[in-house]
Amino acid sequence: MVINRVGDVGLACGVFSIFTIFKTSDFSVVFSLVPYLLGSTYTFLGLEVDSLSTIGLLLFVGSVGKSAQIGLHTWLPDAMEGPTPVSALIHAATMVTAGVYLIIRCSPLYENSGFALVVITIVGALTAFIAGTIGLVQNDLKKVIAYSTCSQLGYMVFACGLSNYSVSMFHLINHAYFKALLFLSAGSVIHALNDEQDMRRMGGLLQVLPYTYVMILIGSLALMGFPFLTGFYSKDVILEVAYSNYNLHGTFAHLLGVFSAGITAFYSFRLIYLTFVSNPNGFKNAIQNAHDAPLPMGFPLFLLCVGSMFVGFFDKGFIHRAWHPFLE
């Protein structure tokens, strides 16, 4: 709650600044007036600052808080104490998507502020890399997936910083499917083991939970961008976009994005190995009483699994036809 209030202060200051300068907070009016304010300044906290860059950065502070970018990211793994379906909703549909969507929705404002875009690119690339490295050493099953979300949000943010908002939106939609699948599958494992979340006390579950294993495997492959699964179509395009930006921050984002993709593959297979493949390390009675997901738990996993395999392929044309004209 405290971390999010920090982000909310930035967001509120951004909205107040918009109202001070534009005399309205209506999107259509603000965006139509943006070109006339290029190079203009206003007084913020007693300092004379560039209007558009300051508004962009203040709104981005709100986005950093909501979308768990580096610096205000600690609330997300801490929120994993809650119920697993709530975790899946936070990561896939509600909370962390709000910050990225704020940047996407305010794209006409950001396109007129080069400095804000550079800051967004650098913060997003650092988040993708640093959150991935933290995920490498986590032992809590849900915290590994939570840091994975931080990393993927970094990809979305630096795609926005490189002015490719439709690609960021595409990854946002795709990510919802395989991340919800991973969380609910993790919930299936935790439920089967009497609420055990430490991966060091798991192992040997491949024979006991074969259905859940297949679900986590497909979700992890989609997450790491395995060819022709959902994550591949958007993640690959984000890295291509970064590679094709022949400037310093674009190259920086591309290098960190490629390293982060390798880290993602490593911690995903570490999770699978420690949970399902390694020798059993848990309590005997927990593994003896373990059972695979019953139908009410298994059917949603199947639906999300189908989405994790095919949505990227079917969505890639829609995103560019419907979102691209709207966002660019």
Side-chain angles (χ1 to χ4, degrees):
M1 292 293 288
V2 175
I3 295 290
N4 268 286
R5 294 293 75 77
V6 176
D8 290 345
V9 168
L11 178 60
C13 288
V15 176
F16 296 156
S17 298
I18 288 174
F19 197 83
T20 301
I21 294 165
F22 295 94
K23 303 297 184 284
T24 180
S25 55
D26 183 82
F27 275 130
S28 57
V29 177
V30 170
F31 295 159
S32 63
L33 292 175
V34 161
Y36 299 102
L37 287 166
L38 285 172
S40 67
T41 59
Y42 82 114
T43 304
F44 180 73
L45 298 179
L47 301 171
E48 195 74 17
V49 291
D50 182 75
S51 303
L52 297 181
S53 294
T54 305
I55 289 171
L57 290 174
L58 287 171
L59 292 177
F60 181 57
V61 170
S63 181
V64 166
K66 282 284 177 283
S67 285
Q69 297 301 287
I70 205 72
L72 297 177
H73 66 286
T74 52
W75 68 267
L76 193 57
D78 289 344
M80 295 305 97
E81 302 301 327
T84 305
V86 175
S87 302
L89 280 172
I90 287 172
H91 288 255
T94 53
M95 186 84 169
V96 297
T97 55
V100 176
Y101 187 74
L102 175 66
I103 302 174
I104 295 169
R105 189 70 182 87
C106 295
S107 55
L109 198 152
Y110 282 108
E111 280 305 290
N112 289 282
S113 173
F115 178 70
L117 288 178
V118 171
V119 171
I120 288 171
T121 306
I122 291 170
V123 171
L126 285 172
T127 302
F129 180 69
I130 294 172
T133 58
I134 298 172
L136 283 174
V137 295
Q138 294 297 311
N139 294 312
D140 187 308
L141 184 62
K142 287 172 71 177
K143 283 192 177 180
V144 173
I145 307 174
Y147 279 111
S148 162
T149 300
C150 288
S151 184
Q152 297 307 303
L153 288 163
Y155 277 96
M156 298 172 209
V157 167
F158 82 64
C160 291
L162 297 171
S163 300
N164 279 266
Y165 305 97
S166 57
V167 172
S168 179
M169 191 72 195
F170 187 28
H171 194 49
L172 186 70
I173 293 169
N174 290 353
H175 175 260
Y177 288 94
F178 53 78
K179 192 50 58 77
L181 174 63
L182 281 169
F183 263 112
L184 293 180
S185 301
S188 176
V189 172
I190 294 164
H191 176 71
L193 296 178
N194 295 332
D195 300 331
E196 180 59 71
Q197 291 187 212
D198 194 327
M199 294 190 296
R200 293 169 296 184
R201 295 181 188 166
M202 296 181 186
L205 297 177
L206 180 54
Q207 289 80 21
V208 186
L209 308 173
Y211 179 76
T212 304
Y213 167 73
V214 171
M215 296 295 109
I216 283 195
L217 181 64
I218 291 172
S220 298
L221 289 172
L223 167 67
M224 66 183 75
F226 190 79
F228 311 116
L229 293 181
T230 289
F232 165 76
Y233 291 99
S234 51
K235 203 169 182 181
D236 195 57
V237 173
I238 289 176
L239 293 174
E240 287 174 13
V241 161
Y243 181 71
S244 65
N245 269 265
Y246 298 108
N247 49 40
L248 189 61
H249 57 279
T251 306
F252 177 77
H254 175 251
L255 289 174
L256 286 189
V258 170
F259 279 127
S260 304
I263 290 169
T264 302
F266 187 89
Y267 66 62
S268 296
F269 275 116
R270 174 178 175 267
L271 183 149
I272 290 170
Y273 177 78
L274 289 177
T275 308
F276 293 99
V277 182
S278 64
N279 292 325
N281 292 313
F283 295 109
K284 181 180 177 182
N285 65 334
I287 293 178
Q288 275 182 332
N289 297 325
H291 56 86
D292 218 334
L295 185 63
M297 289 173 66
F299 185 64
L301 297 184
F302 174 74
L303 293 179
L304 290 166
C305 176
V306 172
S308 299
M309 289 192 287
F310 301 116
V311 161
F313 176 76
F314 290 110
D315 251 14
K316 65 183 193 294
F318 166 78
I319 285 296
H320 289 287
R321 283 197 307 273
W323 278 102
H324 200 70
F326 171 68
L327 295 171
E328 301 304 334

